[in-house]
């Protein structure tokens, strides 16, 4: 049994197909099947039921799955902690990043501020989603990353997060490039009359709730369509496939090649900044303290 086999096991359990799991690993479905067959033989376990429609976990496979996740998570943690030991005694801060939470707004500032904080080093960490949480990637804060760059308001901060403000994002409306709205330089609420608009549900984001209230007050015929929580990449795909409009923000304008984001005429803006858990641990707390002190001295603002 090796790490590749365990990783392949998780991919097959996720996609329910040897072929689809192989596509994610850039190998053939046959190669995936051979790995699973070898794993089952070595463990003397029946992990999957094979059918013409795909594969699904057996009761043994269902029992095995969470332990495999723990093993791989523990290995990743061990590797990361070991890497920190050989980093010239610098204290490593893991900055989570993803398509929806790009690190650019912070990293452009960090290039200028880093010489003033020589004890710390930033390491980018790919954010994973917690699909059981309406806050998705935010729910992983403090687990797979020490800090992330993200939007925040009172609703967000009630979820046990703290924030250092870096700026504000503007709202826009993302539509498919062949949608008539894509030809506008700016979209007013009346331009959205009788249109379906994808946006996050009430209670997740105070600023989105304010925008929803403002839109419907001005143009009651707008039809908000709630997503399942904060956006994920499927939200952008749905916008393209259904050819409907979506409330978007400044950093997401280039996420999908078939979407055009047009500025929305509203005074409501969304603050963004460096988010951390309210109990971040000493290393992260020391970093945030020094970072905040420098920011308050206004040395590095443009």
């Amino acid at each position: 049994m090796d790490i590749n086999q365990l990783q392949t096991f998780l991919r097959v359990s996720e996609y329910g197909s040897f072929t689809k799991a192989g596509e994610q690993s850039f190998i053939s479905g046959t190669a995936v099947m051979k790995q699973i067959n070898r794993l089952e033989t070595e463990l003397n376990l029946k992990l999957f039921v094979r059918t013409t429609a795909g594969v699904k976990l057996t009761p043994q496979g269902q029992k095995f799955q969470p332990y495999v996740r723990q093993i791989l998570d523990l290995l990743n943690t061990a590797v990361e902690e070991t890497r920190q030991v050989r980093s010239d005694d610098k204290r490593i801060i893991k900055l989570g990043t993803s398509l929806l939470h790009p690190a650019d707004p912070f990293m452009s500032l960090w290039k200028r501020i880093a010489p003033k904080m020589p004890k710390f080093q930033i390491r980018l960490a790919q954010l994973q989603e917690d699909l059981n949480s309406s806050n998705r990637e935010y729910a992983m804060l403090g687990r797979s990353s020490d800090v992330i760059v993200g939007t925040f308001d009172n609703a967000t901060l009630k979820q046990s997060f703290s924030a250092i403000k870096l700026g504000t994002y503007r709202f826009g409306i993302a539509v498919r490039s062949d949608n008539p709205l894509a030809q506008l330089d700016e979209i007013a609420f009346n331009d959205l009359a009788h249109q379906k608009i994808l946006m996050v549900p009430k209670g997740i984001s105070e600023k989105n709730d304010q925008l929803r209230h403002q839109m419907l007050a001005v143009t009651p015929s707008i039809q908000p369509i709630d997503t399942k929580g904060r956006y994920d990449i499927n939200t952008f795909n749905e916008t393209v496939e259904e050819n409907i409009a979506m409330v978007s923000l400044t950093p997401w304008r280039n996420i999908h090649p078939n979407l055009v984001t047009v500025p929305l005429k509203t005074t409501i803006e969304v603050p963004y900044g460096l988010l951390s858990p309210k109990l971040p641990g000493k290393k992260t707390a020391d970093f945030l303290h020094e970072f905040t002190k420098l920011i308050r001295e206004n040395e590095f603002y443009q």
Side-chain angles (χ1 to χ4, degrees):
M1 180 177 65
D2 60 33
I3 297 302
N4 287 335
Q5 289 173 326
L6 296 180
Q7 292 172 331
T8 299
F9 166 78
L10 289 183
R11 290 193 185 100
V12 174
S13 65
E14 178 181 357
Y15 291 101
S17 163
F18 291 142
T19 300
K20 291 180 180 178
E23 290 173 354
Q24 297 300 311
S25 305
F26 302 99
I27 59 176
S28 68
T30 301
V32 170
M33 181 177 63
K34 288 181 178 179
Q35 285 191 40
I36 295 301
N37 289 344
R38 189 161 58 250
L39 179 63
E40 289 180 322
T41 299
E42 291 176 4
L43 298 177
N44 192 25
L45 295 173
K46 185 69 172 177
L47 300 174
F48 292 100
V49 175
R50 281 79 164 167
T51 70
T52 55
V55 297
K56 63 179 182 179
L57 289 169
T58 65
Q60 287 184 328
Q62 293 173 4
K63 186 72 173 179
F64 188 54
Q65 186 184 46
Y67 290 108
V68 173
R69 293 190 188 279
Q70 289 179 26
I71 290 169
L72 294 179
D73 286 345
L74 182 60
L75 178 62
N76 287 333
T77 300
V79 171
E80 286 301 316
E81 294 296 329
T82 303
R83 283 175 177 163
Q84 292 184 27
V85 171
R86 64 184 191 191
S87 296
D88 301 324
D89 296 326
K90 289 191 176 183
R91 302 168 78 181
I92 304 298
I93 300 296
K94 291 183 289 185
L95 173 64
T97 184
S98 69
L99 282 173
L100 292 173
H101 295 278
D104 294 353
F106 171 78
M107 292 306 295
S108 59
L109 176 61
W110 178 247
K111 288 177 182 177
R112 292 177 287 140
I113 209 170
K116 296 286 186 178
M117 298 179 64
K119 294 185 296 184
F120 296 97
Q121 180 174 310
I122 298 296
R123 174 173 293 137
L124 297 181
Q126 180 64 44
L127 280 172
Q128 303 296 320
E129 293 183 354
D130 183 343
L131 297 179
N132 295 316
S133 170
S134 61
N135 276 324
R136 297 187 185 279
E137 292 169 332
Y138 285 71
M140 301 302 291
L141 188 55
R143 294 157 64 182
S144 61
S145 61
D146 300 311
V147 293
I148 65 172
V149 177
T151 60
F152 67 92
D153 50 32
N154 288 336
T156 307
L157 299 182
K158 287 178 182 177
Q159 302 292 325
S160 299
F161 305 133
S162 297
I164 300 172
K165 185 177 178 180
L166 299 177
T168 58
Y169 292 144
R170 287 193 62 192
F171 279 113
I173 297 296
V175 291
R176 210 165 70 184
S177 55
D178 60 350
N179 190 301
L181 291 172
Q183 307 307 313
L184 301 178
D185 294 326
E186 186 178 55
I187 291 177
F189 293 137
N190 288 336
D191 296 322
L192 300 173
H194 306 290
Q195 299 254 9
K196 294 180 179 179
I197 308 292
L198 275 175
M199 60 192 312
V200 297
K202 293 180 180 178
I204 290 181
S205 165
E206 177 187 4
K207 296 298 182 179
N208 273 271
D209 291 350
Q210 290 177 9
L211 181 65
R212 182 191 295 251
H213 177 77
Q214 189 181 72
M215 281 197 308
L216 295 178
V218 175
T219 311
S221 65
I222 292 175
Q223 304 170 45
I225 304 296
D226 290 349
T227 59
K228 294 180 180 179
R230 290 188 182 272
Y231 291 175
D232 60 21
I233 195 62
N234 292 324
T235 312
F236 296 84
N237 289 330
E238 182 180 353
T239 302
V240 172
E241 291 162 6
E242 300 294 331
N243 197 13
I244 58 177
M246 180 189 78
V247 172
S248 188
L249 287 174
T250 306
W252 303 337
R253 56 180 175 264
N254 296 320
I255 282 183
H256 199 294
N258 291 337
L259 288 178
V260 174
T261 299
V262 182
L264 180 63
K265 191 175 181 179
T266 177
T267 58
I268 301 173
E269 295 184 338
V270 183
Y272 74 88
L274 202 60
L275 304 186
S276 61
K278 283 195 170 150
L279 297 174
K282 187 177 187 308
K283 175 191 66 175
T284 305
D286 290 346
F287 170 81
L288 295 171
H289 175 74
E290 289 193 30
F291 180 77
T292 303
K293 181 180 177 182
L294 288 171
I295 291 298
R296 286 176 178 170
E297 291 172 355
N298 294 318
E299 286 186 49
F300 296 96
Y301 281 136
Q302 300 195 19

